[in-house]
Amino acid sequence: MLKTLDKALMLLNRFTVDRPTWGVRELAAEADLHHSEVHRVLVTFADNGFLVKDAAGRYALGLKLFELGHIVQKTFSVDEVIEPALKRLAQESGETAFLSVLDGHDGLCINVARSPQTLRFSIDQGQRFALIAGSHAKAILAFQGDAFRREVCDRAALKDVALLERQLAQIRADGWAATREEAATAVAGVSVPIRSSRNDAVIGSLSIAGQMHRFEEDAMPRLLGLLKTARSTVESAVALNR
């Protein structure tokens, strides 16, 4: 029973923005299942409003999912998801974990979980920051358009724009940002971008920061792994609320 349900949900998850419709046989081939089994699952979903079938026999997501999504938006509390995720990230990493969003031409910290360490990075909920220094800032700025980045640099009267652009290009290539002693003395940070589910635009960053000696090169794979795991939870919550 559970295996059948697992297969059914796996098939439903194949419907994405990039691939919104499927025929029975092509979905069966994609999922490596027999087409008769896939056909039964799709028919059941269609009978219950989760899928619709067009005149060509192809299936797409149905209005039942829209209805359920509307219920989620009405009842879903972002903080109930984000706060536990940040607390877990702070405990597992041993560092201050915080979530920031793009607000105008600045970054804005919207949630913080303090490090259990005595010596720790301090940032407050509601604290605004420039986008030119710190991994939390650069993980946002790196993925904005050329014109926006120029405006940010002009507002900050930044002298070495070429250096910043090289750093941002490396962040785009890596998919994450790490800095040392940019946001504060003796502090290092590592951050990953947070994207919108609607248009894949970067709308914020998830970060951990702390004393620089705890961010040596051999520690980075573990810290980055923890960040990426937490991002999968945080990103979906932020996207629902923006």
Side-chain angles (χ1 to χ4, degrees), residues 129-147:
F129 54 87
L131 292 174
I132 59 170
S135 66
H136 54 303
K138 290 179 175 178
I140 300 174
L141 183 60
F143 298 92
Q144 307 306 313
D146 294 348

Side-chain angles (χ1 to χ4, degrees), residues 94-115:
E95 308 299 343
T96 294
F98 56 104
L99 175 65
S100 307
V101 295
L102 179 64
D103 187 46
H105 287 79
D106 299 320
L108 181 67
C109 175
I110 61 171
N111 293 87
V112 184
R114 305 293 178 191
S115 167

Side-chain angles (χ1 to χ4, degrees), residues 26-108:
E26 62 183 353
L27 182 54
E30 176 74 14
D32 195 25
L33 296 172
H34 194 275
H35 65 86
S36 63
E37 183 179 10
V38 172
H39 178 260
R40 287 194 299 271
V41 170
L42 297 187
V43 168
T44 301
F45 275 134
D47 287 344
N48 287 276
F50 291 94
L51 295 176
V52 292
K53 184 180 178 181
D54 65 18
R58 298 180 67 80
Y59 288 85
L61 296 178
L63 289 178
K64 186 65 177 178
L65 290 169
F66 178 81
E67 178 186 343
L68 294 175
H70 186 65
I71 294 171
V72 171
Q73 287 186 311
K74 288 288 187 181
T75 60
F76 178 75
S77 171
V78 172
D79 287 342
E80 287 179 3
V81 175
I82 291 177
E83 288 180 5
L86 286 181
K87 287 179 180 178
R88 185 165 54 251
L89 178 58
Q91 286 294 326
E92 291 177 349
S93 68
E95 308 299 343
T96 294
F98 56 104
L99 175 65
S100 307
V101 295
L102 179 64
D103 187 46
H105 287 79
D106 299 320
L108 181 67

Side-chain angles (χ1 to χ4, degrees), residues 167-222:
Q167 293 170 344
L168 298 181
Q170 187 62 55
I171 292 168
R172 286 193 294 275
D174 294 339
W176 53 279
T179 59
R180 300 172 73 82
E181 290 196 296
E182 287 191 1
T185 303
V187 167
V190 58
S191 307
V192 292
I194 296 293
R195 296 182 180 272
S196 165
S197 60
R198 284 175 287 186
N199 56 15
D200 203 40
V202 169
I203 57 174
S205 63
L206 179 63
S207 311
I208 49 178
Q211 291 293 296
M212 199 161 58
H213 68 271
R214 298 196 294 264
F215 283 73
E216 298 299 339
E217 187 174 346
D218 60 348
M220 294 304 287
R222 183 182 72 88

Side-chain angles (χ1 to χ4, degrees), residues 4-15 27 30-33 45:
T4 300
L5 178 59
D6 187 61
K7 285 182 181 179
L9 293 175
M10 178 270 290
L11 291 173
L12 191 61
N13 280 322
R14 297 283 181 171
F15 291 83
L27 182 54
E30 176 74 14
D32 195 25
L33 296 172
F45 275 134

